[in-house]
Every structure is written in C-alpha cells, then in structure tokens.
Amino acid sequence: MKTWLITGCSGGLGRGIAQAALERGENVAVTARDTEKIKDLAAQYPDHAKILYLDLNDRKSMRRAVSDTIETFGRLDVLVNNAGHGYRAAVEESEREKIEELFETNFFAPAELIKMVLPIMRSQKSGLIVNVTSVGAVRGALGNGYYSAAKGALELLTEALAKETKHLGIRTMIVEPGAFRTNFYGEHLLGTSRQIADYDVLADKYRKEHLNDQHHQPGDPVKGGKVIVETILSGNMPFRLILGSDALQAAEQVLEDRLKEAKAWESVSRTTDYR
C-alpha cells in the first residue's frame, strides 16, 4: 500500500487519479482549495482518504498538507503535481500579473512542493514524483504560448530531477494529457483583457470569449486517472506518459517534424565545430 499526495482533486484528472488510487486501496491525501468538493471521497473511503486544504499560491498550506500527510499515514510514496490552469493570450497581448500567477501555479509552486517532499523520500530511499504537464509542453499552440512555456519548464525540471534522484531510489514521471472533459476550458481558464486589433483575425482560434466549451473533448478524466494509477502500480512506467489520441497525434507530428528539420540542416549545424 502506497501513500499519495495529489493536488487539484476537486475535479477533472486530479479527482480521477484520487478516485482510482482509493479504489485500489491506497492511502490518499486528497487536496483542493475548496475542500467541500472532495468531502464525498472521505465519506466513501473513510480509512484511506485524508481531505486537506492546499492552495498553490499559499506556501503555508503546501507545507501543512505535506506534514499532515506524514502525520496521518506515516510516509509519502507518491506526489502528483496535477493542479494548474490555462491562460489564453497572444504573446503581445499578455498581462504581466497574469503571467506571473500562471507560472506560480503551473511551475514555481509544483517545484516548491517537490522540494518539500524530497527530504522525506530521501530518508525513505524511495518515492515517485509525477508531474502532470500537457501536450502544450510538446508544442506551443496559437494563443497559448505562456501556458506552454510554464508546462515546458516543468518538463525540463523533471528531466533534471530524474537524473539527480535516480541513485536515491526516487523515480519521476511526466504525464502529458491532451484535451479532457474538465473545467479547464471553462471557469478555470483565464484570458487577456488587453486585446490588439491586429490579432482579431485569429481571435476565434484562441481568445477565451470565442471558445464554446461544449465538453466534447476526447479525454475521459475517469479513464485517465485509472491509467495513471494502474501504470504506476504496475511498476513498469515510461518517463513520459501521453494521454489521449489527440495528444499522441500532436506529439508524433512535432517529433517527426523536429527530426526532419534537424536532418535537413545537419551539415550547417556541424560547421560551427572547431576543426
């Protein structure tokens, strides 16, 4: 039996992960900013679910959630950095305060949470850190540049972390979801109020007010949560787990294009070497 700490469990993929882990008999610190939305999990799994308040913009709540997890279950085996939100704006239209908050939620806070749990995992000589990023970290999408940048930063941090902690018995995994039927495209999505007319021709493709969220995304958060938990508990994990046919198609296309371009310009790239 493992002990999990999962952020952003009030809905979507985070709740799917928590539900799947609890169904498997795991101990789970189920966290959210609004704990009323997750109390039903404690009622369903009173012996295995611990409901905790955690706000990624509140370091005290993060430290308290980690210490309460240890106090309740005696150890911490799996950290899942899942919570996050998007921001739609062309690069030039972006607002500094919203960019800073976006990076705080999607990058700096998860990085701090990792640092909080590493001493525990080092003392145990075991642990797993799972960072949920996005297919947006694989390629920058129109009007989604800063979100992609924040998630891409978390992916590169995870790559370095994997090299730094492997000898300590601590493993890492990145989850790259595509579009899932969650509130990501609804109330949790932020948009810019600084609109520039030259970008109006693209507005229907990226501005929040032009997005009509009909919940037709291909991804099922319940299925996604089960896949993540089953993959972890199987012991046979990839470093990157792509979730969704849309994410898989996008990732394959980006990687193929990058390799093709690198090969096409190989002779030029080599000209800068000392000889």
Side-chain angles (χ1 to χ4, degrees), residues 1 14-15 20 24 58 62 85 93 100 105 124 136 152 172-173 179 213-214 216 234-235 239 249 251 253 272 274:
M1 181 189 303
R15 185 180 179 89
R24 292 288 295 266
D58 179 357
M62 292 162 59
H85 67 78
E93 293 177 329
E100 290 177 350
T105 301
Q124 295 172 171
T172 55
M173 184 171 77
D213 184 16
Q214 298 294 330
H216 291 159
S234 74
F239 179 66
Q249 181 179 4
Q253 188 63 58
T272 59
Y274 277 107

Side-chain angles (χ1 to χ4, degrees), residues 24-63:
R24 292 288 295 266
E26 303 283 87
N27 293 325
V28 182
V30 186
T31 77
R33 287 182 299 177
D34 184 356
T35 56
E36 289 296 322
K37 294 181 178 180
I38 54 177
K39 283 186 176 179
D40 62 305
L41 293 176
Q44 292 178 60
Y45 305 95
D47 297 329
H48 294 280
K50 176 69 174 178
I51 304 304
L52 297 173
Y53 168 75
L54 192 155
D55 183 344
L56 292 179
N57 291 296
D58 179 357
R59 293 291 190 270
K60 288 183 179 179
S61 77
M62 292 162 59
R63 286 191 290 270

Side-chain angles (χ1 to χ4, degrees), residues 43-149:
Q44 292 178 60
Y45 305 95
D47 297 329
H48 294 280
K50 176 69 174 178
I51 304 304
L52 297 173
Y53 168 75
L54 192 155
D55 183 344
L56 292 179
N57 291 296
D58 179 357
R59 293 291 190 270
K60 288 183 179 179
S61 77
M62 292 162 59
R63 286 191 290 270
R64 192 178 305 116
V66 173
S67 62
D68 286 353
T69 301
I70 297 299
E71 183 178 344
T72 303
F73 299 117
R75 61 185 294 115
L76 176 52
D77 300 294
V78 184
L79 167 66
V80 181
N81 275 316
N82 163 76
H85 67 78
Y87 172 56
R88 291 301 181 94
V91 171
E92 189 180 358
E93 293 177 329
S94 61
E95 302 147 300
R96 177 66 178 263
E97 65 278 7
K98 289 185 178 179
I99 296 169
E100 290 177 350
E101 191 280 330
L102 182 79
F103 269 80
E104 181 64 31
T105 301
N106 290 291
F107 177 68
F108 289 111
E112 283 298 314
L113 199 50
I114 289 169
K115 290 166 67 176
M116 291 176 191
V117 307
L118 279 175
I120 299 165
M121 292 182 174
R122 283 193 289 106
S123 68
Q124 295 172 171
K125 294 182 171 52
S126 67
L128 171 63
I129 294 170
V130 180
N131 290 328
V132 179
T133 61
S134 167
V135 68
V138 180
R139 48 95 175 101
L142 174 67
N144 213 27
Y146 284 101
Y147 176 75
S148 291

